């Protein structure tokens, strides 16, 4: 079901892959993180984490996905993951959040790119080469485009997987993550929405 409702564009635009050509042709890509204030058939009103209220028009044929709770112990070699991280003072990167992708999405949006979850953060979409348990959590070695990157995952870092969702989940108070498009007039529209369910919120 998820394979049918979550397209390549969602990962490419929402989880880090370059979107320069898309932005030039269709407007600026903006990532919206916040809680739904009001939901209608073709629009959402969202109060963002910055405190701004944004009206988001849902484009024709828009798609929806949810997030489900997972654990770092669920991650195994060969899995495809998306990890937002920050450089650590003692070297390497430390994870801010982890998304475990379903097998059907392996390789989509592969790479490591600038991200806006926090200043100086990056998003790495890659395959897990190995996972080593340490004193303060686990360290994953990720491979992408012939490169390798080690990211430590401290205990308590949010770990989620993608899950099915329905429009009924887009209710007031629900937390969403939206990779939207802002046109030259300032109007915001979206083709993909990720919504939190059952107390699990999109951490990306």
């Amino acid at each position: 079901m998820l394979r049918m409702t979550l397209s390549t564009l969602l990962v490419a635009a929402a989880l880090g892959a370059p979107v320069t050509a898309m932005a030039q042709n269709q407007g600026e890509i903006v990532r919206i993180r916040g809680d739904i204030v009001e939901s209608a058939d073709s629009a959402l009103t969202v109060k963002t984490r910055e405190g701004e209220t944004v009206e988001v028009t849902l484009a024709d044929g828009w798609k929806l996905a949810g997030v489900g709770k997972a654990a770092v112990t669920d991650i195994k070699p060969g899995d495809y993951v998306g990890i937002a991280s920050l450089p650590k003072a003692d070297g390497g990167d430390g994870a801010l959040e982890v998304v475990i992708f379903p097998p059907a999405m392996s390789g989509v949006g592969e790479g490591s790119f600038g991200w806006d979850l926090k200043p100086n953060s990056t998003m790495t979409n890659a395959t897990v080469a190995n996972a080593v348990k340490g004193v303060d959590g686990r360290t994953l070695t990720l491979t992408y485009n012939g490169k390798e990157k080690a990211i430590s995952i401290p205990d308590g870092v949010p770990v989620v997987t993608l899950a099915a969702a329905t429009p009924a989940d887009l209710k007031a108070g629900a937390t969403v993550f939206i990779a939207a498009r802002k046109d030259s007039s300032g109007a915001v529209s979206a083709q993909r929405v990720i919504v939190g369910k059952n107390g699990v919120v999109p951490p990306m």
Side-chain angles (χ1 to χ4, degrees):
M1 180 69 177
L2 179 62
R3 187 175 184 178
M4 296 176 63
T5 59
L6 194 67
S7 75
T8 298
L9 179 60
L10 173 60
V11 178
L15 299 183
V19 291
T20 303
M22 179 181 176
Q24 288 176 344
N25 294 334
Q26 300 181 351
E28 175 190 2
I29 295 297
V30 292
R31 298 186 184 101
I32 298 169
R33 302 169 174 91
D35 297 333
I36 295 174
V37 176
E38 186 176 355
S39 176
D41 289 341
S42 59
L44 296 175
T45 303
V46 179
K47 185 172 183 179
T48 71
R49 64 176 184 175
E50 294 81 17
E52 180 185 4
T53 299
V54 179
E55 302 288 337
V56 182
T57 299
L58 301 175
D60 291 343
W62 66 280
K63 304 298 183 183
L64 175 66
V67 288
K69 187 176 182 180
V72 68
T73 51
D74 295 330
I75 303 170
K76 60 187 183 300
D79 283 349
Y80 194 66
V81 297
I83 304 179
S85 63
L86 279 173
K88 299 193 303 180
D90 58 353
D93 271 34
L96 298 170
E97 58 83 27
V98 181
V99 179
I100 305 172
F101 294 121
M105 295 180 68
S106 181
V108 175
E110 184 177 13
S112 190
F113 313 95
W115 194 237
D116 59 355
L117 185 58
K118 289 188 176 181
N120 301 317
S121 62
T122 58
M123 174 63 75
T124 302
N125 299 328
T127 301
V128 178
N130 62 53
V132 179
K133 183 174 175 57
V135 175
D136 299 319
R138 292 175 182 258
T139 297
L140 303 184
T141 300
L142 307 179
T143 58
Y144 59 94
N145 300 330
K147 300 178 182 179
E148 193 172 89
K149 185 174 185 177
I151 302 179
S152 64
I153 306 177
D155 293 335
V157 166
V159 181
V160 301
T161 188
L162 298 178
T166 70
D169 295 310
L170 296 176
K171 54 191 175 184
T175 302
V176 292
F177 172 77
I178 305 171
R181 184 185 75 204
K182 181 187 290 187
D183 66 20
S184 58
S185 71
V188 177
S189 62
Q191 294 181 320
R192 306 291 183 269
V193 178
I194 299 178
V195 62
K197 295 179 60 178
N198 303 318
V200 183
V201 302
M204 64 284 287

